[in-house]
Amino acid sequence: MLCRFFSVLLLGGAIAAGGAQEAAGASAPIVDLGAFPVDSDSRVAAINDDGTMAGVYSTPAKGSIAARWNPDGAVAPLAVPSTHRMTEARAINAKGFIAGSAYDDMSIRRPVLWRPDGSFTELSSPDRYEHSEATAVNTAGVVAGTVSIGSPPVERAARWDAKGVMTLLPLAPGDTKSAAAAINDAGVIAGTSGEQPVRWNPDGTVVRLPLLPGDDRGSAQGVNNAGVVVGGSGAHPVRWAANGTATALPFLRPENPGGDARAINDSGVVTGISSVGGGHHSAVVWDARGAITGLGTLPGHDQSAGAAINSRGVVAGESEQTSVRGRHAARWTAPDKATDLSRSFPGGDRAEAFAINVHGQAIGQSLTPDGVIHPVTWTQGGVLTDLSPGSNRPEANAINAHGVIVGTDNQKLNKDRAIRWERDGTITALKEPEYHTYRSRAYGINDSGVIVGSASSRRGSAQPTRWAPDGTPSLLPLLPGDAGGAAKAINNRGVIIGSSGIRNETNEHVVRWDPDGTITELTGLPGEKYTHAVALNDRGDVVGYSGDHPVRWSPDGRITELALPEGTSRGEASGISDTGVVSGWYQFGVAGAPGRALRWAADGKVTVLPSLPGGQETKADGINALGEIVGSSDNGAGQVHAVRWPATSEAGIRPVLSR
């Protein structure tokens, strides 16, 4: 089930068919069913004098995503080409240029720059195969950062001029590594050489900054336009005057020593952190005279940190409740006057809908706030209900017109058990056939309440199984010579599809059981070894895949390959309506190309289903008798939500070129 839930089709590669590109971006109807609300994980790293902020938020689906907050707190992800991912914004200048990093198509972290118009530039670095990042940018567009050189690789502080030409900054005598953290408008850079805080002057010379007595290491993290540097010496926050004189900054609580100075504005006001005991720290500011003030946290939180400060004294950083997942990007305009900047992020990290009935009720699964996968159901209006609110975590596989759901409980007694949810949410374990009580799974249900799936003994293969409406189980026959199989779906006429095969063999036969129990093999495409049936409609049409090709079988058993967009490497049909409309997906031939949801009309014409705004990957998992399709789509914000494509959306979707 985890594989089913997390098998996301990744990005990369160009779309060969122009129609496919156009269709994927069409503004056709798509309904966002959402996901369990999940607390955000975000932080602000920089703020300019206009109040525009830069930072990062993260999701399990996409990892870290660079973001820009407007002064009013509205947030937007910073765009990157499809060849890049896992982005982070570290600094912003007065003109709105943002410096940071992004992982390229070889999973190497690259230094990057976003312009105010959102355009993206990758900065040069000395070694194409080693990590680098940009950490600061001044008003003139000069960037500071850290690159890796040599073998084994060693980190070195670097500077890029406004034209993008990179220069390595010198090491302090005796050191072998360095890192740049901040830059002012005069080009003074603060950072670390070896384990010592340093300042690089505009002419490139490096100057060690003294540590406090008794300390043997430290770092410089911020610098203002007067050349005053802040950072840490051991566990002490420190301010270095332009002449290099070090001054220890006080702790918020003298009885809880420990802290760090991280940024300074041109008025000499410093922000950072100071310990408050219990392993926690608070965002603080030190005024120009060195007096310290705690900024507090967001309501309900127990820890915070100041990361940046502008000329108006507005501090940005993060706040969190350390006992739960998720840091919140925060902004302080005064002590205990914090604004939660994480509220703009879409709620919910990941969900996927697997099936939908004729009344628009969908089932699937979603990540709960604590990161656990739970089966869920959505009403036609999109209201989400947890099907397993307790500690048990079953999976829901099918739903009939009456809202009865079947699936598998894979947590009780360490074994799978076929189960049924009644309309009121009551879960009932299905009785297992005699001698086949070791494991059972339920995959399908029709409107009469007949359930199909599989059951197995401790030493035998799984056997295709049918449960009558009263719950009485019976085994279905196998093809001659076969040892096991599974029933995967049943229509309202009682026709069942599934598999039958030799024990311990993955090359199973696709089979159909008629209501009288007669078993018939459905053959795959010529030369294909692996063929699977996935769904059928009330007319007896069956869909699935043979090898890498989506296919459809007519009621008399004839197989037809469904057309795919040009340049695709594989596809699969996932469902079929009573009028012959088929749902499914495809993947392009380039490794890591996006997966896209598809709809095949009854005449075989294929169209690409649209994604959520900003999304690039979609998957269609099921279709009801009326042609409504459910599945998943990313939303451009690093999240994947369950979605529904209405049956009427075809007018807004354009056909694609097929091979």
Side-chain angles (χ1 to χ4, degrees), residues 20 38 90 141 222 267 271 282 300 304 321 333 425 433 451 478 622 628:
V38 176
R90 298 286 301 273
S267 299
T271 189
S282 173
S304 61
Q321 173 60 43
T333 54
I451 299 168
L478 300 168
E628 293 180 294

Side-chain angles (χ1 to χ4, degrees), residues 168-476:
L168 283 179
L169 297 174
L171 294 164
D175 292 335
T176 59
K177 64 178 182 178
S178 60
I183 185 172
N184 70 10
D185 289 344
V188 176
I189 297 173
T192 306
S193 180
E195 304 290 345
Q196 306 286 321
V198 296
R199 180 185 67 226
W200 286 276
N201 296 320
D203 62 4
T205 56
V206 60
V207 177
R208 285 195 189 276
L209 298 174
L211 296 170
L212 297 177
D215 291 334
D216 61 358
R217 63 182 59 195
S219 64
Q221 300 190 48
V223 60
N224 68 8
N225 285 327
V228 180
V229 177
V230 295
S233 173
H236 303 86
V238 176
R239 174 165 49 203
W240 289 274
N243 64 5
T245 303
T247 301
L249 296 172
F251 301 121
L252 187 61
R253 298 180 183 177
E255 69 274 19
N256 298 124
D260 197 16
R262 297 182 173 177
I264 181 171
N265 68 11
D266 287 345
S267 299
V269 182
V270 180
T271 189
I273 61 172
S274 186
S275 175
V276 292
H280 297 160
H281 50 72
S282 173
V284 296
V285 290
W286 292 271
D287 65 20
R289 299 184 305 275
I292 187 171
T293 302
L295 295 177
T297 66
L298 291 169
H301 289 187
D302 58 16
Q303 179 165 281
S304 61
I309 185 169
N310 68 9
S311 64
R312 300 178 182 180
V314 178
V315 173
E318 64 191 63
S319 178
E320 65 180 316
Q321 173 60 43
T322 53
S323 63
V324 298
R325 175 186 179 271
R327 293 169 294 183
H328 289 216
R331 176 180 59 199
W332 289 265
T333 54
D336 298 316
K337 295 283 188 180
T339 300
D340 190 343
L341 298 173
S342 72
R343 299 304 182 193
S344 299
F345 297 121
D349 274 328
R350 188 164 185 94
E352 186 171 356
F354 299 144
I356 183 171
N357 67 13
V358 292
H359 301 298
Q361 182 182 358
I363 59 168
Q365 55 191 19
S366 179
L367 282 178
T368 61
D370 56 358
V372 177
I373 300 169
H374 272 215
V376 296
T377 179
W378 292 269
T379 65
Q380 172 76 24
V383 177
L384 181 152
T385 301
D386 190 349
L387 290 173
S388 181
S391 60
N392 219 26
R393 300 193 298 255
E395 61 188 54
N397 292 327
I399 182 172
N400 69 9
H402 306 295
V404 180
I405 299 166
V406 296
T408 304
D409 182 349
N410 51 20
Q411 296 294 312
K412 283 186 176 179
L413 302 177
N414 246 356
K415 70 167 192 172
D416 295 338
R417 185 75 184 268
I419 56 174
R420 175 179 59 212
W421 282 268
E422 308 301 339
R423 292 185 62 184
D424 63 3
T426 303
I427 299 177
T428 303
L430 298 176
K431 182 181 178 181
E432 291 158 326
E434 188 176 13
Y435 308 121
H436 293 79
T437 59
Y438 182 58
R439 295 185 188 278
S440 60
R441 299 181 68 86
Y443 295 113
I445 183 172
N446 67 10
D447 292 345
S448 299
V450 181
I451 299 168
V452 295
S454 66
S456 62
S457 62
R458 182 174 293 274
R459 292 184 174 84
S461 299
Q463 302 293 308
T465 305
R466 175 187 183 274
W467 286 269
D470 65 1
T472 303
S474 59
L475 299 179
L476 296 170

Side-chain angles (χ1 to χ4, degrees), residues 88-132:
E88 183 171 356
R90 298 286 301 273
I92 184 170
N93 71 8
K95 298 177 180 178
F97 286 78
I98 295 173
S101 63
Y103 283 82
D104 65 12
D105 55 359
M106 296 191 298
S107 296
I108 304 298
R109 187 175 67 244
R110 314 297 300 166
V112 301
L113 191 68
W114 288 273
R115 291 178 175 80
D117 64 3
S119 58
F120 169 91
T121 299
E122 181 181 312
L123 301 173
S124 63
S125 54
D127 193 327
R128 180 69 181 83
Y129 303 101
E130 296 297 341
H131 296 299
S132 302

Side-chain angles (χ1 to χ4, degrees), residues 11 27 50 56 88 96 141 167 219 248 264 312 319 335 435 442 448 511 572 617:
L11 291 173
S27 57
D50 293 333
V56 65
E88 183 171 356
T167 303
S219 64
I264 181 171
R312 300 178 182 180
S319 178
Y435 308 121
S448 299
V511 294
E572 179 179 329
E617 52 188 308

